Amino acid sequence: MRLNLPLLLMLSGIGLMLTSGIPAVFEFMSMQGFPSNPTSSLFPSHWFIMIYGFFGALIGNEILVALSVEWSGKIANNNLIISFTALTIIASLSSFFVSILFSMFLEIISISILLLYSQTYLNYSKIGLKPSTYNWLLLFSLIITIIILSFQIGLGYVIPYVNLFFPIGVIFAVMSRDLALVTRAKINDSEIALAFIFLTLGIISYSSFYGEALLFLAWLLSFHSSKLYKFKGRKYPILHLTTAWIFFLTSIIFYANYDIFIHSIAVGFLFNTVFGVDVVLMDMFVNAFGKVSVKPSYIPYILMNSGLMMRIIYDLGVNYSFLILSAPLQGFGILSFFILTLRQVLLKNKV
């Protein structure tokens, strides 16, 4: 049977998500009083593998496969996909066995592959369309990510929160394309571009006195441009996207609480956006396997967002025993989305 490289990259990403997520679940439960933490030694690499391993695999599939088919009519060269997949896995595992700074060096090479291929999106599309806002924002996201990684290597130490820009920047860029399909409204490109600038500056300058204001401007402009407040369009994506922007605002309101800030963005905003507009996963399935109609489930939405809300309540100082379920619920919610989706795709296509 012919090797399906997009599927291999996706499965690698899910594997890295588990590698990163399980230690994070035990770590948070341990903070809440759970008596055992068998994966404590793996937790320090959690953030790196989640950002550059899991989200890296999703973003790689989007750039090398899904968007590529949509824009140019073909996927990237197999050698590029294989190289990116291998570097993503090696960089993630190196964060355990070598150092995160070394892993960042590998990630610069990995993301450079995406940057090199992203030049495809600066040409006319297969049907003659000019590059739009999302094409340019996608390119800038990758360039800024490489600068962020290089800066940390130059410093000789890591700044975990600033690396959130990689998934936020890229997903925000692609989301600017998909929003119109969901809300059936014209998206203001100027507002989205300006929101992207404020988002970039806000993430980079977190903990500064003006970082919160910059992120609020990014939220305000992007929410206004999205037209989500009109509640028109497909119900399932609208629910996820509205929830995503609520958690984005939550991260700003509780800006001073690091755990709430990080997870409101990383879980609340990013995952709800991915699940809602199919920024990465669904597009990859459609283009890698052929036309697939996936029936969405609300189970992942309920589990993940309930768990995140419980985490925020705990972070605010409320300590009820049932809140120990917050991290497992988030994990099961995210994992259930991929299991339910993969099951439908594989069954319908008999991969």
Side-chain angles (χ1 to χ4, degrees):
M1 184 175 66
R2 184 173 176 269
L3 181 64
N4 190 306
L5 293 178
L7 178 61
L8 176 63
L9 178 53
M10 176 57 63
L11 292 176
S12 299
I14 294 173
L16 292 172
M17 177 187 70
L18 291 172
T19 303
S20 167
I22 291 173
V25 169
F26 276 112
E27 182 71 16
F28 195 70
M29 290 176 67
S30 177
M31 291 169 54
Q32 295 174 291
F34 191 71
S36 177
N37 186 359
T39 59
S40 59
S41 63
L42 303 179
F43 178 72
S45 296
H46 155 69
W47 65 268
F48 182 88
I49 298 177
M50 186 61 74
I51 290 174
Y52 292 109
F54 170 64
F55 278 114
L58 289 176
I59 289 167
N61 254 319
E62 181 72 3
I63 293 174
L64 299 175
V65 181
L67 285 177
S68 183
V69 171
E70 180 184 70
W71 192 257
S72 67
K74 59 183 180 180
I75 68 172
N77 181 282
N78 284 348
N79 291 332
L80 285 181
I81 299 176
I82 292 171
S83 298
F84 177 80
T85 303
L87 281 167
T88 298
I89 295 172
I90 294 171
S92 296
L93 297 180
S94 294
S95 68
F96 289 136
F97 304 113
V98 185
S99 72
I100 290 180
L101 284 175
F102 176 74
S103 296
M104 285 184 168
F105 173 75
L106 295 179
E107 274 302 320
I108 289 176
I109 302 173
S110 176
I111 295 173
S112 294
I113 292 175
L114 300 183
L115 180 60
L116 176 67
Y117 190 74
S118 292
Q119 296 179 46
T120 300
Y121 305 115
L122 301 184
N123 300 320
Y124 281 85
S125 75
K126 62 183 179 182
I127 59 173
L129 296 176
K130 293 181 179 180
S132 63
T133 301
Y134 95 83
N135 299 65
W136 288 101
L137 294 184
L138 183 63
L139 187 75
F140 291 142
S141 297
L142 298 174
I143 293 173
I144 294 170
T145 299
I146 291 174
I147 293 172
I148 287 172
L149 287 167
S150 301
F151 179 71
Q152 291 172 96
I153 292 173
L155 287 177
Y157 61 88
V158 300
I159 310 171
Y161 68 81
V162 78
N163 294 278
L164 266 178
F165 174 79
F166 173 51
I168 292 174
V170 175
I171 289 175
F172 190 90
V174 181
M175 173 206 66
S176 67
R177 173 206 64 170
D178 291 344
L179 271 173
L181 301 176
V182 172
T183 61
R184 299 168 187 168
K186 181 175 175 57
I187 305 301
N188 188 313
D189 287 345
S190 298
E191 282 188 340
I192 286 292
L194 193 55
F196 179 84
I197 293 172
F198 287 137
L199 178 69
T200 303
L201 296 175
I203 292 294
I204 292 174
S205 62
Y206 174 75
S207 77
S208 67
F209 71 95
Y210 51 83
E212 187 174 12
L214 290 168
L215 288 174
F216 178 73
L217 289 173
W219 176 86
L220 186 64
L221 286 169
S222 60
F223 185 69
H224 179 263
S225 180
S226 72
K227 305 296 191 296
L228 287 170
Y229 51 86
K230 294 185 177 181
F231 297 103
K232 294 181 179 180
R234 296 159 55 195
K235 292 182 180 179
Y236 179 81
I238 288 291
L239 175 63
H240 266 294
L241 284 173
T242 302
T243 304
W245 258 265
I246 289 173
F247 278 118
F248 188 0
L249 183 60
T250 300
S251 73
I252 299 167
I253 293 172
F254 297 104
Y255 184 79
N257 187 308
Y258 185 77
D259 193 72
I260 294 179
F261 173 78
I262 291 295
H263 290 90
S264 291
I265 290 181
V267 179
F269 179 70
L270 284 179
F271 276 103
N272 274 300
T273 301
V274 170
F275 294 0
V277 297
D278 313 330
V279 173
V280 180
L281 188 66
M282 300 300 188
D283 280 348
M284 186 280 291
F285 285 148
V286 168
N287 291 298
F289 299 111
K291 187 64 178 177
V292 177
S293 177
V294 178
K295 183 179 179 181
S297 170
Y298 288 93
I299 293 175
Y301 174 86
I302 294 170
L303 291 176
M304 182 185 73
N305 289 298
S306 296
L308 180 55
M309 290 173 64
M310 290 165 64
R311 182 182 191 123
I312 291 172
I313 291 171
Y314 177 81
D315 283 337
L316 291 175
V318 179
N319 191 10
Y320 292 116
S321 57
F322 71 88
L323 294 179
I324 201 169
L325 296 174
S326 61
L329 283 175
Q330 291 173 78
F332 284 129
I334 293 168
L335 185 60
S336 66
F337 173 82
F338 290 99
I339 291 175
L340 292 172
T341 306
L342 272 172
R343 180 176 179 274
Q344 292 183 65
V345 172
L346 297 179
L347 285 177
K348 290 180 180 181
N349 290 275
K350 298 180 181 180
V351 176

mmCIF file of all heavy atoms in Angstrom, residues 251-280:
data_model
loop_
_atom_site.group_PDB
_atom_site.id
_atom_site.type_symbol
_atom_site.label_atom_id
_atom_site.label_comp_id
_atom_site.label_asym_id
_atom_site.label_seq_id
_atom_site.Cartn_x
_atom_site.Cartn_y
_atom_site.Cartn_z
ATOM 1 N N SER A 251 -8.283 35.777 28.268
ATOM 2 C CA SER A 251 -6.831 35.865 28.472
ATOM 3 C C SER A 251 -6.391 37.300 28.730
ATOM 4 O O SER A 251 -5.417 37.543 29.452
ATOM 5 C CB SER A 251 -6.091 35.298 27.255
ATOM 6 O OG SER A 251 -6.169 36.182 26.143
ATOM 7 N N ILE A 252 -7.107 38.247 28.152
ATOM 8 C CA ILE A 252 -6.775 39.666 28.335
ATOM 9 C C ILE A 252 -7.274 40.160 29.690
ATOM 10 O O ILE A 252 -6.574 40.886 30.405
ATOM 11 C CB ILE A 252 -7.382 40.502 27.190
ATOM 12 C CG1 ILE A 252 -6.799 40.044 25.842
ATOM 13 C CG2 ILE A 252 -7.123 41.987 27.405
ATOM 14 C CD1 ILE A 252 -7.547 40.576 24.636
ATOM 15 N N ILE A 253 -8.483 39.748 30.047
ATOM 16 C CA ILE A 253 -9.060 40.162 31.334
ATOM 17 C C ILE A 253 -8.199 39.672 32.498
ATOM 18 O O ILE A 253 -7.947 40.399 33.465
ATOM 19 C CB ILE A 253 -10.502 39.637 31.470
ATOM 20 C CG1 ILE A 253 -11.410 40.319 30.441
ATOM 21 C CG2 ILE A 253 -11.032 39.869 32.889
ATOM 22 C CD1 ILE A 253 -12.803 39.734 30.369
ATOM 23 N N PHE A 254 -7.731 38.424 32.389
ATOM 24 C CA PHE A 254 -6.902 37.839 33.450
ATOM 25 C C PHE A 254 -5.432 37.795 33.019
ATOM 26 O O PHE A 254 -4.716 36.829 33.267
ATOM 27 C CB PHE A 254 -7.405 36.436 33.793
ATOM 28 C CG PHE A 254 -8.802 36.417 34.338
ATOM 29 C CD1 PHE A 254 -9.866 36.010 33.546
ATOM 30 C CD2 PHE A 254 -9.053 36.838 35.631
ATOM 31 C CE1 PHE A 254 -11.158 36.003 34.038
ATOM 32 C CE2 PHE A 254 -10.346 36.837 36.141
ATOM 33 C CZ PHE A 254 -11.404 36.425 35.343
ATOM 34 N N TYR A 255 -5.023 38.860 32.383
ATOM 35 C CA TYR A 255 -3.674 38.984 31.816
ATOM 36 C C TYR A 255 -2.581 38.738 32.855
ATOM 37 O O TYR A 255 -1.534 38.164 32.549
ATOM 38 C CB TYR A 255 -3.550 40.388 31.231
ATOM 39 C CG TYR A 255 -2.269 40.705 30.504
ATOM 40 C CD1 TYR A 255 -2.062 40.261 29.201
ATOM 41 C CD2 TYR A 255 -1.284 41.491 31.103
ATOM 42 C CE1 TYR A 255 -0.901 40.585 28.514
ATOM 43 C CE2 TYR A 255 -0.120 41.817 30.422
ATOM 44 C CZ TYR A 255 0.065 41.358 29.130
ATOM 45 O OH TYR A 255 1.217 41.679 28.455
ATOM 46 N N ALA A 256 -2.816 39.163 34.088
ATOM 47 C CA ALA A 256 -1.795 39.059 35.138
ATOM 48 C C ALA A 256 -1.648 37.639 35.675
ATOM 49 O O ALA A 256 -0.659 37.329 36.344
ATOM 50 C CB ALA A 256 -2.121 40.016 36.281
ATOM 51 N N ASN A 257 -2.626 36.789 35.403
ATOM 52 C CA ASN A 257 -2.553 35.395 35.853
ATOM 53 C C ASN A 257 -1.959 34.567 34.713
ATOM 54 O O ASN A 257 -2.630 34.281 33.724
ATOM 55 C CB ASN A 257 -3.944 34.890 36.234
ATOM 56 C CG ASN A 257 -3.911 33.514 36.877
ATOM 57 O OD1 ASN A 257 -3.330 32.575 36.343
ATOM 58 N ND2 ASN A 257 -4.549 33.381 38.034
ATOM 59 N N TYR A 258 -0.713 34.169 34.856
ATOM 60 C CA TYR A 258 0.020 33.531 33.753
ATOM 61 C C TYR A 258 -0.669 32.261 33.261
ATOM 62 O O TYR A 258 -0.787 32.042 32.047
ATOM 63 C CB TYR A 258 1.446 33.213 34.208
ATOM 64 C CG TYR A 258 2.336 32.669 33.109
ATOM 65 C CD1 TYR A 258 2.878 33.516 32.148
ATOM 66 C CD2 TYR A 258 2.637 31.310 33.039
ATOM 67 C CE1 TYR A 258 3.700 33.024 31.138
ATOM 68 C CE2 TYR A 258 3.453 30.810 32.038
ATOM 69 C CZ TYR A 258 3.985 31.667 31.092
ATOM 70 O OH TYR A 258 4.789 31.171 30.094
ATOM 71 N N ASP A 259 -1.122 31.422 34.173
ATOM 72 C CA ASP A 259 -1.726 30.154 33.758
ATOM 73 C C ASP A 259 -3.028 30.381 32.997
ATOM 74 O O ASP A 259 -3.284 29.724 31.983
ATOM 75 C CB ASP A 259 -1.984 29.257 34.975
ATOM 76 C CG ASP A 259 -2.306 27.826 34.578
ATOM 77 O OD1 ASP A 259 -1.383 27.117 34.136
ATOM 78 O OD2 ASP A 259 -3.484 27.426 34.678
ATOM 79 N N ILE A 260 -3.842 31.313 33.480
ATOM 80 C CA ILE A 260 -5.090 31.617 32.771
ATOM 81 C C ILE A 260 -4.782 32.226 31.410
ATOM 82 O O ILE A 260 -5.398 31.862 30.396
ATOM 83 C CB ILE A 260 -5.972 32.574 33.595
ATOM 84 C CG1 ILE A 260 -6.452 31.886 34.872
ATOM 85 C CG2 ILE A 260 -7.179 33.035 32.768
ATOM 86 C CD1 ILE A 260 -7.320 32.768 35.757
ATOM 87 N N PHE A 261 -3.831 33.137 31.368
ATOM 88 C CA PHE A 261 -3.463 33.783 30.104
ATOM 89 C C PHE A 261 -3.021 32.751 29.066
ATOM 90 O O PHE A 261 -3.526 32.724 27.937
ATOM 91 C CB PHE A 261 -2.343 34.798 30.343
ATOM 92 C CG PHE A 261 -1.780 35.385 29.072
ATOM 93 C CD1 PHE A 261 -2.466 36.378 28.395
ATOM 94 C CD2 PHE A 261 -0.574 34.927 28.554
ATOM 95 C CE1 PHE A 261 -1.955 36.914 27.216
ATOM 96 C CE2 PHE A 261 -0.055 35.456 27.382
ATOM 97 C CZ PHE A 261 -0.751 36.451 26.709
ATOM 98 N N ILE A 262 -2.079 31.894 29.463
ATOM 99 C CA ILE A 262 -1.514 30.922 28.531
ATOM 100 C C ILE A 262 -2.565 29.941 28.034
ATOM 101 O O ILE A 262 -2.701 29.691 26.826
ATOM 102 C CB ILE A 262 -0.346 30.154 29.191
ATOM 103 C CG1 ILE A 262 0.851 31.084 29.406
ATOM 104 C CG2 ILE A 262 0.052 28.950 28.334
ATOM 105 C CD1 ILE A 262 1.479 31.610 28.137
ATOM 106 N N HIS A 263 -3.340 29.374 28.943
ATOM 107 C CA HIS A 263 -4.262 28.311 28.538
ATOM 108 C C HIS A 263 -5.551 28.837 27.914
ATOM 109 O O HIS A 263 -6.192 28.126 27.132
ATOM 110 C CB HIS A 263 -4.538 27.382 29.721
ATOM 111 C CG HIS A 263 -3.342 26.557 30.090
ATOM 112 N ND1 HIS A 263 -2.405 26.975 31.017
ATOM 113 C CD2 HIS A 263 -2.900 25.361 29.618
ATOM 114 C CE1 HIS A 263 -1.452 26.076 31.112
ATOM 115 N NE2 HIS A 263 -1.717 25.086 30.277
ATOM 116 N N SER A 264 -5.925 30.065 28.239
ATOM 117 C CA SER A 264 -7.074 30.660 27.541
ATOM 118 C C SER A 264 -6.750 30.844 26.065
ATOM 119 O O SER A 264 -7.621 30.689 25.198
ATOM 120 C CB SER A 264 -7.445 32.007 28.167
ATOM 121 O OG SER A 264 -7.981 31.834 29.452
ATOM 122 N N ILE A 265 -5.490 31.158 25.775
ATOM 123 C CA ILE A 265 -5.074 31.305 24.381
ATOM 124 C C ILE A 265 -4.769 29.947 23.755
ATOM 125 O O ILE A 265 -5.300 29.595 22.700
ATOM 126 C CB ILE A 265 -3.841 32.225 24.272
ATOM 127 C CG1 ILE A 265 -4.227 33.668 24.592
ATOM 128 C CG2 ILE A 265 -3.238 32.148 22.872
ATOM 129 C CD1 ILE A 265 -3.085 34.653 24.489
ATOM 130 N N ALA A 266 -3.907 29.161 24.426
ATOM 131 C CA ALA A 266 -3.423 27.909 23.836
ATOM 132 C C ALA A 266 -4.531 26.877 23.674
ATOM 133 O O ALA A 266 -4.580 26.157 22.670
ATOM 134 C CB ALA A 266 -2.295 27.338 24.694
ATOM 135 N N VAL A 267 -5.412 26.780 24.647
ATOM 136 C CA VAL A 267 -6.511 25.810 24.569
ATOM 137 C C VAL A 267 -7.791 26.487 24.091
ATOM 138 O O VAL A 267 -8.399 26.080 23.101
ATOM 139 C CB VAL A 267 -6.747 25.126 25.938
ATOM 140 C CG1 VAL A 267 -7.920 24.145 25.845
ATOM 141 C CG2 VAL A 267 -5.495 24.400 26.401
ATOM 142 N N GLY A 268 -8.186 27.548 24.789
ATOM 143 C CA GLY A 268 -9.465 28.181 24.483
ATOM 144 C C GLY A 268 -9.535 28.803 23.106
ATOM 145 O O GLY A 268 -10.496 28.579 22.360
ATOM 146 N N PHE A 269 -8.525 29.574 22.749
ATOM 147 C CA PHE A 269 -8.560 30.248 21.449
ATOM 148 C C PHE A 269 -8.093 29.337 20.316
ATOM 149 O O PHE A 269 -8.792 29.161 19.317
ATOM 150 C CB PHE A 269 -7.700 31.510 21.484
ATOM 151 C CG PHE A 269 -7.672 32.248 20.170
ATOM 152 C CD1 PHE A 269 -8.794 32.915 19.710
ATOM 153 C CD2 PHE A 269 -6.530 32.266 19.389
ATOM 154 C CE1 PHE A 269 -8.782 33.589 18.491
ATOM 155 C CE2 PHE A 269 -6.504 32.935 18.176
ATOM 156 C CZ PHE A 269 -7.635 33.599 17.727
ATOM 157 N N LEU A 270 -6.922 28.726 20.475
ATOM 158 C CA LEU A 270 -6.350 27.953 19.373
ATOM 159 C C LEU A 270 -7.180 26.722 19.023
ATOM 160 O O LEU A 270 -7.526 26.499 17.861
ATOM 161 C CB LEU A 270 -4.914 27.542 19.705
ATOM 162 C CG LEU A 270 -3.853 28.637 19.601
ATOM 163 C CD1 LEU A 270 -2.488 28.087 19.983
ATOM 164 C CD2 LEU A 270 -3.810 29.209 18.190
ATOM 165 N N PHE A 271 -7.493 25.901 20.017
ATOM 166 C CA PHE A 271 -8.201 24.662 19.701
ATOM 167 C C PHE A 271 -9.630 24.915 19.242
ATOM 168 O O PHE A 271 -10.127 24.229 18.344
ATOM 169 C CB PHE A 271 -8.173 23.708 20.897
ATOM 170 C CG PHE A 271 -6.915 22.893 20.978
ATOM 171 C CD1 PHE A 271 -5.926 23.212 21.889
ATOM 172 C CD2 PHE A 271 -6.711 21.820 20.133
ATOM 173 C CE1 PHE A 271 -4.758 22.474 21.964
ATOM 174 C CE2 PHE A 271 -5.550 21.065 20.191
ATOM 175 C CZ PHE A 271 -4.566 21.393 21.115
ATOM 176 N N ASN A 272 -10.306 25.888 19.839
ATOM 177 C CA ASN A 272 -11.654 26.194 19.355
ATOM 178 C C ASN A 272 -11.624 26.724 17.929
ATOM 179 O O ASN A 272 -12.529 26.449 17.136
ATOM 180 C CB ASN A 272 -12.331 27.211 20.282
ATOM 181 C CG ASN A 272 -13.015 26.554 21.467
ATOM 182 O OD1 ASN A 272 -13.921 25.736 21.307
ATOM 183 N ND2 ASN A 272 -12.563 26.885 22.668
ATOM 184 N N THR A 273 -10.580 27.473 17.595
ATOM 185 C CA THR A 273 -10.453 27.966 16.225
ATOM 186 C C THR A 273 -10.186 26.824 15.259
ATOM 187 O O THR A 273 -10.815 26.716 14.201
ATOM 188 C CB THR A 273 -9.316 29.007 16.127
ATOM 189 O OG1 THR A 273 -9.597 30.091 17.016
ATOM 190 C CG2 THR A 273 -9.201 29.544 14.713
ATOM 191 N N VAL A 274 -9.252 25.952 15.623
ATOM 192 C CA VAL A 274 -8.936 24.801 14.772
ATOM 193 C C VAL A 274 -10.169 23.918 14.588
ATOM 194 O O VAL A 274 -10.512 23.522 13.472
ATOM 195 C CB VAL A 274 -7.779 23.977 15.369
ATOM 196 C CG1 VAL A 274 -7.611 22.657 14.625
ATOM 197 C CG2 VAL A 274 -6.478 24.766 15.309
ATOM 198 N N PHE A 275 -10.859 23.608 15.677
ATOM 199 C CA PHE A 275 -12.040 22.755 15.585
ATOM 200 C C PHE A 275 -13.162 23.446 14.821
ATOM 201 O O PHE A 275 -13.938 22.806 14.117
ATOM 202 C CB PHE A 275 -12.552 22.394 16.984
ATOM 203 C CG PHE A 275 -11.624 21.521 17.788
ATOM 204 C CD1 PHE A 275 -10.407 21.089 17.279
ATOM 205 C CD2 PHE A 275 -11.964 21.137 19.070
ATOM 206 C CE1 PHE A 275 -9.555 20.296 18.024
ATOM 207 C CE2 PHE A 275 -11.122 20.335 19.830
ATOM 208 C CZ PHE A 275 -9.910 19.917 19.308
ATOM 209 N N GLY A 276 -13.260 24.761 14.971
ATOM 210 C CA GLY A 276 -14.390 25.482 14.403
ATOM 211 C C GLY A 276 -14.314 25.735 12.917
ATOM 212 O O GLY A 276 -15.274 25.509 12.194
ATOM 213 N N VAL A 277 -13.179 26.210 12.444
ATOM 214 C CA VAL A 277 -13.101 26.551 11.023
ATOM 215 C C VAL A 277 -12.264 25.555 10.241
ATOM 216 O O VAL A 277 -11.964 25.776 9.070
ATOM 217 C CB VAL A 277 -12.536 27.973 10.803
ATOM 218 C CG1 VAL A 277 -13.437 29.008 11.412
ATOM 219 C CG2 VAL A 277 -11.127 28.095 11.346
ATOM 220 N N ASP A 278 -11.897 24.444 10.904
ATOM 221 C CA ASP A 278 -11.141 23.399 10.208
ATOM 222 C C ASP A 278 -9.865 23.967 9.613
ATOM 223 O O ASP A 278 -9.475 23.619 8.495
ATOM 224 C CB ASP A 278 -11.974 22.768 9.089
ATOM 225 C CG ASP A 278 -13.378 22.419 9.538
ATOM 226 O OD1 ASP A 278 -13.565 22.127 10.721
ATOM 227 O OD2 ASP A 278 -14.276 22.445 8.690
ATOM 228 N N VAL A 279 -9.217 24.862 10.359
ATOM 229 C CA VAL A 279 -8.058 25.568 9.822
ATOM 230 C C VAL A 279 -7.012 24.609 9.284
ATOM 231 O O VAL A 279 -6.426 24.825 8.242
ATOM 232 C CB VAL A 279 -7.424 26.448 10.917
ATOM 233 C CG1 VAL A 279 -6.135 27.061 10.436
ATOM 234 C CG2 VAL A 279 -8.380 27.541 11.328
ATOM 235 N N VAL A 280 -6.792 23.527 9.995
ATOM 236 C CA VAL A 280 -5.732 22.623 9.581
ATOM 237 C C VAL A 280 -6.267 21.240 9.269
ATOM 238 O O VAL A 280 -6.109 20.723 8.175
ATOM 239 C CB VAL A 280 -4.650 22.520 10.680
ATOM 240 C CG1 VAL A 280 -3.547 21.576 10.254
ATOM 241 C CG2 VAL A 280 -4.075 23.883 11.003
#
